Amino acid sequence: MYLLGLGLVLLLMKVLGWGPMAGLDWWWVGAPFVLAVAWWAWADSSGYTKRKVMEREDKKRDARRERTKEALGSINRNRR
C-alpha cells in the first residue's frame, strides 16, 4: 500500500510539474506501481495475504471470547 501511495504522489508531482519530478522520466513515476503489482502478486501466491487475514480473525475471536467470559463472570471466579 505504501508503494501505491508513493506512486500516486510521484504521479501528481509529475503531472503538476512540481519539484524535482518535473524533469525526470516517466519510468521513475511508473516504477512504484510496477513494484506494487509485483508485491501483490507475491503476497497472493505465497499465502501471505490469507495468513494475515487468518491472524486478524483469530485475534477478533479471542477478544470476543474474553468479552464473553467477562460478561458471564467466569474470569477469576473462586470455586467452592
Side-chain angles (χ1 to χ4, degrees), residues 1-78:
M1 192 57 113
Y2 296 116
L3 290 171
L4 185 60
L6 176 65
L8 290 173
V9 169
L10 294 178
L11 179 65
L12 184 65
M13 289 173 64
K14 179 71 173 177
V15 169
L16 295 176
W18 185 69
M21 289 305 298
L24 291 179
D25 292 332
W26 277 101
W27 65 272
W28 282 100
V29 176
F33 295 112
V34 171
L35 291 173
V37 169
W39 166 258
W40 286 328
W42 173 81
D44 287 342
S45 67
S46 69
Y48 178 81
T49 305
K50 185 68 173 176
R51 191 168 46 251
K52 288 297 181 180
V53 168
M54 290 173 62
E55 287 174 4
R56 264 194 316 267
E57 289 174 353
D58 289 344
K59 285 181 184 179
K60 282 184 182 179
R61 184 192 63 228
D62 292 342
R64 186 173 58 245
R65 284 182 179 168
E66 288 299 318
R67 284 193 312 266
T68 303
K69 285 180 181 179
E70 288 175 6
L72 292 173
S74 62
I75 293 181
N76 294 330
R77 189 176 194 181
N78 293 331

